[in-house]
Amino acid sequence: MQVLPSALENLIEELGKLPGVGPRTAERYAFFLLKRGPDQVSSLSAALKDIHSKIAYCPKTFALIEKGEIISNLYKAPGRDKKLVAVVEDPLDIAAIEKTGYYKGTYHVLGGVLSPIDNIGPDELHIKELIGRIKEDKVKEVIIATNPTIEGESTALYIQKLLAGKSVKITRLARGLPAGADIEYADQITLSRALQERQLF
Amino acid sequence: MQVLPSALENLIEELGKLPGVGPRTAERYAFFLLKRGPDQVSSLSAALKDIHSKIAYCPKTFALIEKGEIISNLYKAPGRDKKLVAVVEDPLDIAAIEKTGYYKGTYHVLGGVLSPIDNIGPDELHIKELIGRIKEDKVKEVIIATNPTIEGESTALYIQKLLAGKSVKITRLARGLPAGADIEYADQITLSRALQERQLF
C-alpha cells in the first residue's frame, strides 16, 4: 500500500538526486517544504527556473555571468590585471578566491579536470581558449589553481607541460599546512609538502 | 563586485532555507543543478509545484492523502483494525511504522507536539479529533507513538492523562536499547529504561 502521496514521493526522489542527499535527508527536505506555505516553495521553484534562463558563461573566461552581459566583470573591470590569469576548475573557485580580497588578476575556468574514466580529455576543458588568451592578452603569469586532488594535480601538470615552451611564468598555489591546523593530526602528504616547500622566516 | 550571477545567488539563498543546509551546502546544490541540464531542474521545479496542489490531509487521521481521495487508505482499507490507533507526531512517522510491516491498526497524526515556547498548545494539535475517533470507532487501544524527546514525552503524558478516565487501553512504544547498539556506548537514560523495563526471557 502506498503510504505517502505520489507528489511527495516524487519530490523526495527529485531531491534525492542532489549531491550527498540520501533518502532520509530528501524526506526531511520534502516534508519541510510541505509544511511551509506554497509561497516559500514557489520562490524556490522560481529560483530554479531562473538559473538556466538567466545565467550564461563568459566566452573569454568561462566564468558565470548574467545573460545579456557580454563578458565577465572580473575580466573587463579596469582594476583587473589581464596579464595575470588564475586557472581554476569551476566558477565557485572564483568566488572563494574573490573572498580573500587579495587577488587582482583575471580568471580562466577550465570547466572540470582531466579524467579519463569519465571521458574528459583536454578537448573537453577550456585549455585551447587559455592558450588563445595567453597570446592575445600577452599574459605574463598563469597561476594554476586546480584542487590538490589527484585529478586536479594531473590537470595542473598537463597544463604546465603544455605551456612550458611559451614565454609565460607558470606558478601554482602554495601547498602546506592550512591555517589553524594541528601538526599532530596533519596527513603525511600535507606535512611532507610543508617540509619540502618550507619558507625562510 | 558581484562574483556570482544574481540568479545563482538567489537559488543559493533559497536552498539555504532547507533544514540543516548551510551556505556551503546550498552552493554545492545550486552549482550541481546549474551543471545538470534544464530538464532535470524543471522536473524538480514541477515536483515542488505539485506538493501543494496535489496533496491533502485526511480529515479523519490527518495523514497525507492524494487530493481527491476522501479518506486515508490506511484507515479505510478493510484489513485495518479501526479499534487500534497509533498516535504519531507527523505523517513521516506513519511511513516509518508502515515499513516494519508489523502494524495493522490505524493512525492518528497530531501534527506536532506540545511546545509552549512555540505557542503550540493542545488546541493546535489534532487531539480533539482523536477523542472524537475513540468514541465514534469504539477504539479499544491507543498506542502513543510520539518521539522519545522532551516535547514528545510531555505530549504523550498529556494525552495519557486526558484519556485516563475513558474505557480505552493506553500504551506506548517500548523504550530500551536499539538494535545493534553497544551497551558500553548507550546513554544513561536509555540504559536505565532498558533496565527498568526489562523483559522475562
Side-chain angles (χ1 to χ4, degrees):
Chain A
M1 194 178 305
Q2 201 180 356
V3 177
L4 295 175
S6 50
L8 194 64
E9 295 272 16
N10 191 20
L11 181 62
I12 292 170
E13 199 192 310
E14 287 296 331
L15 290 168
K17 290 176 186 167
L18 291 172
V21 175
R24 278 304 169 95
T25 308
E27 259 181 31
R28 199 162 145 236
Y29 291 171
F31 198 58
F32 171 87
L33 290 165
L34 181 65
K35 273 187 178 171
R36 297 283 128 148
D39 278 4
Q40 190 165 344
V41 173
S42 66
S43 67
L44 172 55
S45 174
L48 281 167
K49 214 172 278 171
D50 282 354
I51 55 162
H52 284 107
S53 61
K54 293 195 178 165
I55 295 177
Y57 286 92
C58 167
K60 189 94 187 172
T61 67
F62 301 96
L64 299 172
I65 56 175
E66 314 271 348
K67 201 159 261 181
E69 274 185 325
I70 291 153
I71 213 151
S72 169
N73 275 328
L74 297 170
Y75 180 80
K76 69 171 183 233
R80 291 286 172 169
D81 181 1
K82 290 175 187 52
K83 296 193 191 313
L84 178 61
V85 177
V87 176
V88 295
E89 290 179 20
D90 63 50
L92 285 184
D93 297 332
I94 297 182
I97 295 177
E98 282 300 297
K99 269 178 208 153
T100 66
Y102 179 82
Y103 183 67
K104 295 296 170 219
T106 58
Y107 294 94
H108 190 84
V109 179
L110 291 175
V113 277
L114 296 175
S115 172
I117 287 174
D118 304 316
N119 272 325
I120 300 177
D123 292 343
E124 274 69 49
L125 305 179
H126 302 301
I127 293 178
K128 214 166 47 212
E129 293 89 342
L130 173 64
I131 294 175
R133 272 181 75 178
I134 291 173
K135 214 172 154 184
E136 221 169 287
D137 288 342
K138 300 186 184 68
V139 171
K140 284 189 180 151
E141 181 176 349
V142 170
I143 305 173
I144 303 177
T146 51
N147 289 322
T149 57
I150 294 176
E151 292 87 357
E153 297 280 19
S154 55
T155 307
L157 204 66
Y158 176 87
I159 296 172
Q160 185 255 322
K161 280 187 179 162
L162 199 71
L163 302 182
K166 307 202 187 327
S167 61
V168 59
K169 191 169 150 191
I170 308 158
T171 56
R172 60 171 193 170
L173 296 181
R175 303 303 151 86
L177 295 170
D182 197 324
I183 292 176
E184 189 179 342
Y185 298 116
D187 64 287
Q188 296 171 4
I189 299 173
T190 300
L191 201 50
S192 18
R193 284 221 177 109
L195 282 166
Q196 279 164 30
E197 303 186 14
R198 65 192 180 276
Q199 302 278 317
L200 273 174
F201 223 112
Chain B
M1 193 179 306
Q2 199 181 1
V3 177
L4 295 175
S6 50
L8 194 63
E9 294 272 14
N10 190 21
L11 181 61
I12 291 169
E13 198 193 310
E14 286 295 331
L15 290 168
K17 291 175 185 166
L18 291 171
V21 174
R24 278 305 169 92
T25 309
E27 259 180 31
R28 199 162 144 235
Y29 290 171
F31 198 59
F32 170 87
L33 289 165
L34 182 67
K35 272 188 178 170
R36 296 282 128 149
D39 279 4
Q40 190 164 346
V41 174
S42 66
S43 67
L44 172 55
S45 173
L48 282 167
K49 214 171 278 173
D50 282 354
I51 56 163
H52 284 108
S53 62
K54 294 196 178 164
I55 296 176
Y57 287 91
C58 167
K60 189 93 186 172
T61 67
F62 301 95
L64 300 171
I65 56 174
E66 314 271 348
K67 200 158 259 181
E69 272 186 328
I70 292 152
I71 211 151
S72 168
N73 275 326
L74 296 170
Y75 180 82
K76 70 169 183 232
R80 291 286 172 168
D81 181 1
K82 290 176 189 50
K83 296 192 191 312
L84 177 62
V85 177
V87 176
V88 294
E89 290 180 20
D90 63 49
L92 284 183
D93 297 331
I94 297 182
I97 296 177
E98 281 300 297
K99 270 179 206 151
T100 66
Y102 179 81
Y103 183 68
K104 296 297 171 218
T106 58
Y107 295 94
H108 191 84
V109 179
L110 290 175
V113 276
L114 295 175
S115 171
I117 288 175
D118 304 316
N119 272 324
I120 299 177
D123 292 342
E124 276 70 49
L125 305 180
H126 302 301
I127 291 177
K128 213 166 49 211
E129 294 89 341
L130 173 64
I131 294 174
R133 273 181 74 178
I134 291 172
K135 213 172 156 185
E136 221 169 288
D137 289 342
K138 301 185 183 66
V139 172
K140 286 189 179 148
E141 180 178 349
V142 170
I143 305 173
I144 303 177
T146 51
N147 290 322
T149 56
I150 295 175
E151 291 89 357
E153 297 282 17
S154 57
T155 308
L157 204 66
Y158 177 86
I159 296 172
Q160 185 255 321
K161 280 187 177 160
L162 198 72
L163 302 182
K166 306 202 188 323
S167 64
V168 58
K169 190 168 149 193
I170 306 157
T171 56
R172 60 172 193 168
L173 296 180
R175 302 302 152 87
L177 295 169
D182 198 324
I183 292 176
E184 190 180 340
Y185 298 117
D187 64 286
Q188 296 172 3
I189 299 173
T190 300
L191 201 50
S192 18
R193 283 223 175 107
L195 281 165
Q196 278 165 30
E197 303 185 15
R198 65 193 179 278
Q199 302 278 318
L200 273 174
F201 224 109

